[in-house]
Amino acid sequence: MELEVDVKITSSELYDYLLYHTYTGFSGIFGTLAGVFLIMLFVSSRYVIYLIAGAALIIYLPGSLFLKAKQQMLNNPVFKKPLHYKMTDDGISVSQGENEETQSWESCVKAVSTGKSIILYTSKRTASIFPKKELGDKKEALIRMISTHMPPKKVKIRS
Protein backbone atom coordinates (compact mmCIF):
# COMPACT_ATOMS: atom_id res chain seq x y z
CA MET A 1 0.00 0.00 0.00
CA GLU A 2 1.43 3.37 -1.02
CA LEU A 3 0.05 6.90 -1.22
CA GLU A 4 1.67 10.11 -2.44
CA VAL A 5 0.16 13.54 -2.00
CA ASP A 6 1.32 17.15 -2.32
CA VAL A 7 -0.13 19.72 0.06
CA LYS A 8 0.21 23.46 0.41
CA ILE A 9 -0.84 24.84 3.77
CA THR A 10 -2.65 28.18 3.92
CA SER A 11 -3.06 30.40 6.94
CA SER A 12 -6.68 29.24 7.20
CA GLU A 13 -5.65 25.58 7.59
CA LEU A 14 -2.86 26.52 9.99
CA TYR A 15 -5.34 28.54 12.06
CA ASP A 16 -7.73 25.57 12.05
CA TYR A 17 -4.92 23.34 13.37
CA LEU A 18 -3.91 25.86 16.04
CA LEU A 19 -7.52 26.18 17.21
CA TYR A 20 -7.92 22.42 17.44
CA HIS A 21 -4.59 21.94 19.19
CA THR A 22 -5.23 24.72 21.70
CA TYR A 23 -8.88 24.06 22.51
CA THR A 24 -8.35 20.34 23.09
CA GLY A 25 -5.57 21.11 25.56
CA PHE A 26 -5.50 22.52 29.07
CA SER A 27 -4.80 26.18 28.24
CA GLY A 28 -7.69 26.52 25.80
CA ILE A 29 -10.20 24.80 28.04
CA PHE A 30 -9.03 26.64 31.16
CA GLY A 31 -9.03 30.04 29.43
CA THR A 32 -12.56 29.54 28.12
CA LEU A 33 -13.88 28.30 31.47
CA ALA A 34 -12.23 31.21 33.28
CA GLY A 35 -13.81 33.64 30.80
CA VAL A 36 -17.26 32.09 31.23
CA PHE A 37 -16.84 32.16 35.03
CA LEU A 38 -15.96 35.87 34.95
CA ILE A 39 -18.98 36.64 32.77
CA MET A 40 -21.18 34.72 35.21
CA LEU A 41 -19.70 36.81 38.04
CA PHE A 42 -20.66 39.93 36.08
CA VAL A 43 -24.25 38.67 35.73
CA SER A 44 -24.55 38.13 39.47
CA SER A 45 -22.60 41.18 40.68
CA ARG A 46 -22.96 43.73 37.84
CA TYR A 47 -19.29 44.70 38.13
CA VAL A 48 -18.34 45.63 34.57
CA ILE A 49 -14.71 44.67 35.16
CA TYR A 50 -15.78 40.99 35.29
CA LEU A 51 -17.49 41.33 31.92
CA ILE A 52 -14.45 43.00 30.37
CA ALA A 53 -12.02 40.43 31.80
CA GLY A 54 -14.24 37.49 30.79
CA ALA A 55 -14.76 38.76 27.26
CA ALA A 56 -11.05 39.49 26.93
CA LEU A 57 -10.17 35.93 27.96
CA ILE A 58 -12.65 34.41 25.52
CA ILE A 59 -11.68 36.68 22.61
CA TYR A 60 -7.92 36.89 23.24
CA LEU A 61 -6.97 33.28 22.56
CA PRO A 62 -8.58 32.84 19.13
CA GLY A 63 -7.40 36.31 18.13
CA SER A 64 -3.82 35.61 19.14
CA LEU A 65 -3.92 32.24 17.34
CA PHE A 66 -5.15 33.97 14.18
CA LEU A 67 -2.25 36.40 14.33
CA LYS A 68 0.18 33.55 15.08
CA ALA A 69 -1.02 31.65 11.99
CA LYS A 70 -0.56 34.74 9.80
CA GLN A 71 2.88 35.39 11.27
CA GLN A 72 4.04 31.79 10.76
CA MET A 73 2.86 31.88 7.15
CA LEU A 74 4.96 34.97 6.52
CA ASN A 75 8.09 33.96 8.44
CA ASN A 76 8.35 30.18 8.08
CA PRO A 77 9.83 29.03 4.75
CA VAL A 78 8.20 25.59 5.13
CA PHE A 79 4.83 27.12 4.25
CA LYS A 80 6.06 28.85 1.09
CA LYS A 81 6.17 25.69 -1.08
CA PRO A 82 4.09 22.51 -1.20
CA LEU A 83 5.13 19.52 0.92
CA HIS A 84 5.33 16.10 -0.72
CA TYR A 85 4.16 13.19 1.43
CA LYS A 86 4.84 9.57 0.58
CA MET A 87 3.14 7.03 2.81
CA THR A 88 4.08 3.38 2.68
CA ASP A 89 3.70 0.39 4.98
CA ASP A 90 7.05 1.36 6.54
CA GLY A 91 6.16 4.93 7.45
CA ILE A 92 5.69 8.50 6.28
CA SER A 93 8.21 10.44 4.28
CA VAL A 94 7.84 14.19 3.83
CA SER A 95 10.01 16.17 1.47
CA GLN A 96 10.36 19.71 0.27
CA GLY A 97 13.11 20.52 -2.16
CA GLU A 98 16.25 18.70 -1.06
CA ASN A 99 15.08 18.12 2.52
CA GLU A 100 13.43 14.83 3.43
CA GLU A 101 12.34 13.33 6.74
CA THR A 102 10.94 9.89 7.43
CA GLN A 103 8.93 8.72 10.40
CA SER A 104 7.60 5.29 11.31
CA TRP A 105 3.90 4.70 11.89
CA GLU A 106 4.64 3.50 15.41
CA SER A 107 5.98 6.91 16.39
CA CYS A 108 2.79 8.73 15.35
CA VAL A 109 0.86 9.93 18.39
CA LYS A 110 -2.67 10.35 17.02
CA ALA A 111 -4.73 11.25 13.98
CA VAL A 112 -7.76 13.55 14.09
CA SER A 113 -9.93 15.52 11.73
CA THR A 114 -11.37 19.00 11.83
CA GLY A 115 -13.74 20.67 9.44
CA LYS A 116 -10.88 21.67 7.16
CA SER A 117 -8.09 19.15 7.70
CA ILE A 118 -6.88 15.74 8.67
CA ILE A 119 -4.16 16.13 11.26
CA LEU A 120 -1.54 13.48 11.91
CA TYR A 121 0.35 14.20 15.13
CA THR A 122 3.96 13.11 14.86
CA SER A 123 4.65 14.21 18.45
CA LYS A 124 2.64 15.93 21.18
CA ARG A 125 3.34 19.35 19.67
CA THR A 126 4.03 18.74 15.98
CA ALA A 127 1.78 17.49 13.26
CA SER A 128 1.35 16.98 9.56
CA ILE A 129 -1.68 18.88 8.27
CA PHE A 130 -3.57 17.51 5.28
CA PRO A 131 -6.11 20.08 4.05
CA LYS A 132 -9.23 18.26 2.85
CA LYS A 133 -9.58 20.55 -0.17
CA GLU A 134 -6.00 19.70 -1.25
CA LEU A 135 -6.57 15.95 -0.91
CA GLY A 136 -9.49 15.72 -3.31
CA ASP A 137 -10.11 12.09 -4.24
CA LYS A 138 -7.14 10.94 -2.12
CA LYS A 139 -8.90 11.79 1.15
CA GLU A 140 -10.45 8.34 1.60
CA ALA A 141 -7.16 6.65 0.69
CA LEU A 142 -5.36 8.77 3.32
CA ILE A 143 -7.91 7.86 5.98
CA ARG A 144 -7.57 4.17 5.04
CA MET A 145 -3.78 4.39 5.16
CA ILE A 146 -3.81 6.01 8.61
CA SER A 147 -6.45 3.63 9.97
CA THR A 148 -4.54 0.61 8.68
CA HIS A 149 -1.21 1.58 10.25
CA MET A 150 -2.28 3.15 13.55
CA PRO A 151 -4.16 1.59 16.48
CA PRO A 152 -7.89 2.46 16.46
CA LYS A 153 -7.67 4.23 19.84
CA LYS A 154 -5.24 6.76 18.28
CA VAL A 155 -7.45 7.53 15.26
CA LYS A 156 -10.34 9.97 15.62
CA ILE A 157 -11.14 10.87 12.03
CA ARG A 158 -14.60 11.53 10.72
CA SER A 159 -15.13 11.97 7.03
Side-chain angles (χ1 to χ4, degrees):
M1 192 175 208
E2 188 175 296
L3 176 67
E4 291 191 46
V5 63
D6 292 316
V7 296
K8 175 115 171 67
I9 307 295
T10 65
S11 61
S12 175
E13 284 111 14
L14 185 57
Y15 179 59
D16 181 60
Y17 160 73
L18 290 171
L19 282 175
Y20 175 85
H21 183 74
T22 301
Y23 282 101
T24 56
F26 178 76
S27 65
I29 294 169
F30 180 76
T32 302
L33 290 176
V36 169
F37 178 74
L38 286 168
I39 290 172
M40 289 171 43
L41 277 177
F42 162 73
V43 170
S44 65
S45 69
R46 299 287 181 216
Y47 289 120
V48 177
I49 191 69
Y50 291 139
L51 175 64
I52 294 168
L57 275 174
I58 291 173
I59 294 169
Y60 170 77
L61 198 51
S64 68
L65 292 175
F66 179 79
L67 293 175
K68 183 177 180 178
K70 292 285 188 189
Q71 194 71 15
Q72 282 187 354
M73 291 303 296
L74 292 173
N75 297 333
N76 195 333
V78 170
F79 298 117
K80 304 259 188 249
K81 300 179 198 167
L83 294 165
H84 180 76
Y85 288 92
K86 183 177 181 180
M87 298 179 187
T88 65
D89 292 332
D90 297 326
I92 305 154
S93 172
V94 61
S95 60
Q96 186 179 53
E98 299 171 9
N99 300 326
E100 184 173 348
E101 288 185 30
T102 303
Q103 186 154 0
S104 69
W105 286 106
E106 292 78 29
S107 63
C108 292
V109 177
K110 69 179 176 177
V112 298
S113 65
T114 67
K116 293 184 178 189
S117 305
I118 295 172
I119 303 168
L120 180 62
Y121 278 87
T122 52
S123 76
K124 285 189 173 196
R125 300 197 63 151
T126 59
S128 294
I129 304 168
F130 299 94
K132 290 179 180 176
K133 70 178 184 180
E134 292 269 328
L135 293 172
D137 60 340
K138 294 182 179 182
K139 182 176 96 171
E140 294 303 319
L142 175 66
I143 294 170
R144 241 186 343 272
M145 179 70 85
I146 291 170
S147 299
T148 301
H149 293 93
M150 290 181 67
K153 67 179 182 171
K154 291 184 175 183
V155 179
K156 293 181 177 38
I157 298 175
R158 57 188 188 280
S159 299

